Structure formats: structure tokens, C-alpha cells
Amino acid sequence: IGSSACSGSGLQGETCAAAIPVDTLPFTHSASSSSFGHDYSTEYACGGLHDRGVDAPDVAYAFTPVEGGIYTFGLTGNASLVYVTKSCSMMSGNCLAESGEILGSGSFEALLAADIEYFVIVDGWLPGQGGAYSLSISEPAPPPDPRTCEVYCETLSASCRGAQAQYADQAACLAYCEA
């Protein structure tokens, strides 16, 4: 997946190699994705049945949590998709969570481990979709007690389906939660 030769070259956040750092929590960053190129998409790997973010401008953030827990990612504005991945070069097996389509304002949660670098991608749901947005990341809620992973995964599976699914199935959620 590539961007046009003139779009976004040299901008911080243009790629994961030049990602905007998330240094403190809570984190809020407002920008416009309009001047950025198209570098990433979900590649069918974030729990959805579609490749979202195709031909839409995207902005990359780098985030290494100090502690594991459930983080809330919020998005307002014209960008309409956020996803969290451990690798930008291959989404399959690395994309952990996707917001689903956010129209104007919304949020989603992802269970993240401590001391692992994650990339948070703000993208458009449809080709060409972008513009002014604000991304927020909350301080973590404590990770679920391993004895409650089953309840957590059942709740997550029931409330986050289709494009908003964070894990392929309940077994994948349990494997991550209990790790």
C-alpha cells in the first residue's frame, strides 16, 4: 500500500517509522489527516470482514504502555477509524483492536500489555475520508483478574461484534487475556 509521491512526505505521523509519540497519559492530540498520505489499512486483520482505511489518509502514533490494562481510545472529527497494531508492515496477527466506524465521535477499548510498542492508526473508513480530528487515549483500567478473563471475553464478544470485534473469537480473547 503506498501513498502518492507528494502526499505527506516528511510529516511526523506519516508512517510508523515517523510515528507521533504518545509520551504521557491521558493523551489528546488534534490534527488534520488531510495532508497525510495513505500508508495503511486494516488488511482484513482487525476482526472485521473488510479492508478498512483503503485509499484514505492515515496518521500513525507510537505507544508503549508502562502498565498493562484496558485502554480507552477516543476519536472525534472527520477521521472515522482507529486501530491498534503491533506491526505496521503486517496487520495479520498483529492488529489487536479496531474502533469500527466512528461517525463524529466515539470510543473503544483495547487490552494492552506493558512494555510492548503498539501503533495507533487514525484513518478514514472510506476512500478519501479524512480531515480534522482529535485522538484521545485514557489512563488504563486495571487488567482483568485472570479468574475473570472468561467473563471479560464473554462481555467483549457480546458487545463488540462484526467490524467492532477486537478478537477473532472468544478463544483468541482468552488466549490474550490469560497470557
Side-chain angles (χ1 to χ4, degrees), residues 85-103:
T85 183
K86 292 189 286 184
S87 170
C88 294
S89 61
M90 182 188 332
M91 293 293 168
S92 182
N94 291 302
C95 190
L96 302 174
E98 172 191 316
S99 64
E101 185 175 16
I102 294 176
L103 299 173

Side-chain angles (χ1 to χ4, degrees), residues 45-106:
C46 297
L49 301 175
H50 302 283
D51 187 10
R52 297 293 181 203
V54 174
D55 294 328
D58 44 55
V59 183
Y61 295 82
F63 176 46
T64 303
V66 175
E67 60 183 295
I70 300 168
Y71 290 81
T72 301
F73 298 83
L75 185 68
T76 60
N78 294 321
S80 58
L81 174 66
V82 180
Y83 42 102
V84 180
T85 183
K86 292 189 286 184
S87 170
C88 294
S89 61
M90 182 188 332
M91 293 293 168
S92 182
N94 291 302
C95 190
L96 302 174
E98 172 191 316
S99 64
E101 185 175 16
I102 294 176
L103 299 173
S105 178

Side-chain angles (χ1 to χ4, degrees), residues 5-42:
C6 297
S7 290
S9 47
L11 292 174
Q12 185 175 27
E14 176 62 35
T15 64
C16 290
I20 297 166
V22 175
D23 293 328
T24 60
L25 295 178
F27 175 83
T28 301
H29 186 254
S30 297
S32 175
S33 61
S34 297
S35 59
F36 288 81
H38 164 63
D39 298 286
Y40 306 109
S41 69
T42 61

